[in-house]
Amino acid sequence: MRKILALFIAGLYSSITLAQDVNPFKLKAGDPAPQVIIDQWLKGSADVNLSDGRTHVVEFWATWCGPCIQAMPHLPSLAQKYKQIPIISITASESYDNVNLPKKFVERSGKMMDDAVGYAKPGLIADNWIRPLYNPRIPVAFVINSDGKVGWIGHPLMGLEEAMKLSVEGKLNAHSGAGIDSVWAARKKAAKLMNKDFKKMLNSKNFEGALGLNDKFLESIPYDMDIYISDGNMHF
């Protein structure tokens, strides 16, 4: 029997808002990318110079973040498709400064984490990249254009591939990036409506209709996951 996706997801676009007590500056598309500081490479390595004339992807995660882990398999496929784009995956939000936990996590992950993976001590890099966002959250990916400026910020599973494609074509900017976000916002809105209909069909034992609606959901939001970490206490 086909898998029924989790249309019962509580808060399809849940996120965390942190007190902006570190840096009032808001990092947004068009701003110069902050400096990448890696304390230790956990797998592979990459040139952290984001102003070398190439598109870059910088993605943030943590070992305790379930949605981050669920998004990880998507990055290696993008790395294969866009081999000219360096992808740097960074854990910078661990509960405390201990590289051993993420190091073991990466070792166990195998090819699920097949890009350059780095560890950064909690603090500085998160303060410069994550806290300045209008909605600080993880997982979060940044597409850096060839001019070293931020081209797009968002969830790795919702818009990253589109943003990478536009950046390589020299077409990624605040306007086109907002267009990507609008498309995904419409998909999430439609999925929430489908969720209500799905529950009604199950309650009325209309399983055939529910399966058909599940197929439509897969086309709209093809990921069985909570979108962002919804724990009220992120470790920056």
Side-chain angles (χ1 to χ4, degrees), residues 31-166:
D31 290 339
Q35 183 180 6
V36 171
I37 301 173
I38 302 295
D39 291 296
Q40 183 175 332
W41 289 106
L42 305 178
K43 189 171 187 178
S45 63
D47 185 354
V48 296
N49 176 15
L50 303 182
S51 300
D52 62 0
R54 296 182 294 173
T55 294
H56 293 76
V57 171
V58 181
E59 184 256 357
F60 291 93
W61 59 281
T63 57
W64 50 266
C65 170
C68 299
I69 297 170
Q70 289 174 313
M72 286 174 182
H74 189 53
L75 291 180
S77 64
L78 292 180
Q80 285 297 314
K81 187 172 182 178
Y82 295 96
K83 294 182 179 180
Q84 72 273 44
I85 299 179
I87 298 179
I88 305 172
S89 184
I90 306 171
T91 174
S93 307
E94 295 300 326
S95 304
Y96 52 91
D97 181 17
N98 182 355
V99 71
N100 291 326
L101 177 61
K103 186 176 183 179
K104 291 179 180 178
F105 179 92
V106 172
E107 290 174 352
R108 293 196 304 266
S109 297
K111 292 187 176 181
M112 184 176 76
M113 301 189 76
D114 216 18
D115 43 316
V117 184
Y119 171 78
K121 296 178 181 179
L124 180 60
I125 195 167
D127 289 346
N128 290 338
W129 283 86
I130 305 175
R131 275 193 178 274
L133 298 177
Y134 281 102
N135 187 12
R137 61 199 187 273
I138 54 173
V140 61
F142 297 77
V143 175
I144 312 302
N145 283 326
S146 59
D147 60 0
K149 294 183 179 180
V150 177
W152 178 85
I153 306 168
H155 193 285
L157 292 177
M158 295 190 170
L160 175 56
E161 182 171 2
E162 296 94 317
M164 291 171 69
K165 181 177 184 295
L166 288 178

